[in-house]
Amino acid sequence: MYKIGELAALAGVSTDTVRYYEKQEMMAVGLRNPSGYRQYDENDLQRLRFIRYAKSTGFTLDAIKELLSIRVDPLHHTCQESKSIVDERLAEVELKLQELTQMRESLKRLSAACCGSAHTTESCSILEALEDGAGKVA
């Protein structure tokens, strides 16, 4: 059995994070021992590590809740449900990567268009390009 601080340390999170996940009903509230300390077991530690890893992979809390519910009741769920959650997140990441690639190319063009000298910005090619582009954005 672990106290909340021990559990948090083993999972690499803060005690506030553990309490937050409890409030979000992603974890059961630890049972209190006679001294009043919350007590957690190996299942709680595993769940907290699951949440932490899923979060580091980019899943939203709602998606993590869904994955947890699938994990807790495997006989009433299919792998397809888990896969669809992963595929949805993957599609979001792919879209974000496309957007970031477009941003990078635009920034490269802006940087290449500028001489970078110490003269005033009265005729700065970057500012002019941004101004021209601003009229094209709907």
Side-chain angles (χ1 to χ4, degrees):
M1 296 299 279
Y2 306 106
K3 292 179 185 175
I4 192 169
E6 296 167 330
L7 177 78
L10 287 169
V13 300
S14 70
T15 56
D16 287 339
T17 299
V18 174
R19 289 185 189 102
Y20 177 77
Y21 292 151
E22 289 173 343
K23 286 178 187 170
Q24 296 300 311
E25 299 179 354
M26 298 171 75
M27 290 187 61
V29 176
L31 299 174
R32 295 201 183 263
N33 68 11
S35 304
Y37 291 105
R38 293 180 189 185
Q39 296 285 292
Y40 301 88
D41 62 19
E42 286 297 321
N43 289 332
D44 295 315
L45 178 58
Q46 184 59 37
R47 177 173 279 244
L48 189 53
R49 286 178 171 161
F50 180 101
I51 294 168
R52 183 170 178 249
Y53 181 69
K55 189 158 175 34
S56 75
T57 308
F59 287 107
T60 65
L61 292 183
D62 286 338
I64 295 171
K65 285 180 187 180
E66 284 184 66
L67 290 166
L68 282 169
S69 70
I70 293 168
R71 184 73 182 133
V72 168
D73 190 14
L75 297 178
H76 294 97
H77 295 281
T78 65
C79 286
Q80 183 184 7
E81 291 174 81
S82 299
K83 183 172 175 36
S84 71
I85 294 169
V86 170
D87 288 347
E88 183 178 317
R89 181 63 187 141
L90 181 59
E92 292 168 359
V93 169
E94 293 290 346
L95 179 62
K96 190 62 149 175
L97 284 171
Q98 288 175 345
E99 291 170 355
L100 287 171
T101 299
Q102 290 173 347
M103 282 184 219
R104 181 183 64 208
E105 295 307 314
S106 294
L107 290 169
K108 281 182 178 180
R109 283 192 300 276
L110 285 172
S111 180
C114 181
C115 64
S117 71
H119 67 74
T120 67
T121 58
E122 203 169 1
S123 63
C124 177
S125 58
I126 290 176
L127 298 177
E128 289 171 4
L130 288 171
E131 194 168 299
D132 288 344
K136 298 174 184 173
V137 177

